[in-house]
Amino acid sequence: MENSLILAWILVLGTAVAVAPCRGYYSDAEPYVPVLKKVTHLHFFLHDTMSGKVPSSVIVARPNMTTSPNDTFGSVVVTDDRLTVGPDVKSEVIGNAQGLWVSSGRDVPCLTVYMDFGFTEGELNGSSISIFSRNPIVGTERELAVVGGRGKFRMAQGYAQLKTYFVNFTSGDAIVEYKVTVIY
Ligand SMILES: *[C@@H]1O[C@H](CO)[C@@H](O)[C@H](O)[C@H]1NC(C)=O
Ligand SMILES: *[C@@H]1O[C@H](CO)[C@@H](O)[C@H](O)[C@H]1NC(C)=O
Ligand SMILES: *[C@@H]1O[C@H](CO)[C@@H](O)[C@H](O)[C@H]1NC(C)=O
Ligand SMILES: *[C@@H]1O[C@H](CO)[C@@H](O)[C@H](O)[C@H]1NC(C)=O
C-alpha cells in the first residue's frame, strides 16, 4: 500500500517535472485543461446574533461621527455565525460563517460581506465556500456572489439566494435562509 503510494508519487512528480520544468520559483505556462464541473445545491439558515452575553457578531470599528442613531454607515462587524439545517437555532448545526461585513450603504442601508462559510458535517466537513458580495439588506430577497471555496469546493463559483426569515431591528439579531448553487 505504502509502496504503491510512493510509486504513484514518483510517477506524479516525474510527470510534473517532465511537463513543467522549474525555473526557480515559477513553472513554464501550460495550457489549462478544464475538467467537467459539478453543481451542488445547499440549503441552510444563518443565525446572526448581536444581542446577549455571547453575540455571534461584534462591532469592531465605527466612525466617530454619525448623523442619526440609525446611521451605521462605516461600521465593521466580525462574525462567527452558526449555520443550521432549519430556522430553529436548536436544529442541527452544519457549520459556521466566519468573516466580516461592513455597513457600506451611504443612503440606502447595505452591507458588503466578506465571509467564509465552513461546513462541519457529513461529506462537506472541512469544505467551505467564500462569499464576497454586496448584500442589499433592505430587500427581503437578495443574491450574493460565491467567489471561491476550499476542500470539495476548491475553485468554486456560484451564487447564494437569501431570504430574511426573522429580523429584530432593535437588537440587530437576524435569521437568514440561504439557498446556494455552487459550481466547482
Ligand atoms: C473624530 O476624529 C477626528 C480625528 O481624530 C477628530 O478631529 C474629530 O474631532 C472626531 N470627532 C468627534 C465627533 O469626536
Ligand atoms: C430609525 O429607524 C426606525 C426603524 O426603522 C425608524 O422608525 C426611525 O424613524 C428611524 N429614525 C431616524 C432618525 O432615521
Ligand atoms: C470533521 O472533521 C474534523 C477534522 O478532520 C474532525 O475532527 C471531526 O470529527 C469531523 N466531524 C464529523 C462530524 O465528521
Ligand atoms: C427585539 O430586541 C429587543 C432588544 O434586545 C427586545 O427587547 C425585543 O423583545 C426583541 N423583539 C423580538 C420580537 O424578539
Side-chain angles (χ1 to χ4, degrees), residues 9 15 22 31 36 56-57 63 72 76-77 101 108 115 121 126 135 143 148 156 168-169 175:
W9 267 111
T15 324
C22 191
L36 200 60
S56 71
S57 284
T72 62
V76 178
V77 174
W101 49 262
V108 179
M115 270 155 83
E121 283 302 316
N135 183 356
E143 181 180 311
N168 181 336
F169 287 108
I175 302 171

Side-chain angles (χ1 to χ4, degrees), residues 110-143:
C110 186
L111 310 178
T112 304
V113 179
Y114 313 81
M115 270 155 83
D116 181 291
F117 288 66
F119 303 101
T120 51
E121 283 302 316
E123 273 192 40
L124 296 180
N125 184 14
S127 298
S128 72
I129 53 170
S130 303
I131 286 186
F132 169 28
S133 192
R134 194 178 278 236
N135 183 356
I137 45 168
V138 278
T140 356
E141 297 190 36
R142 48 216 190 259
E143 181 180 311

Side-chain angles (χ1 to χ4, degrees), residues 51 166 168 170-171:
S51 66
F166 164 85
N168 181 336
T170 318
S171 63

Side-chain angles (χ1 to χ4, degrees), residues 63-66:
N64 71 348
M65 55 355 172
T66 47

Side-chain angles (χ1 to χ4, degrees), residues 42-64:
L42 307 169
H43 183 215
F44 54 81
F45 290 81
L46 170 141
H47 300 263
D48 191 53
T49 314
M50 301 194 81
S51 66
K53 283 209 182 77
V54 196
S56 71
S57 284
V58 289
I59 299 175
V60 294
R62 57 157 44 116
N64 71 348

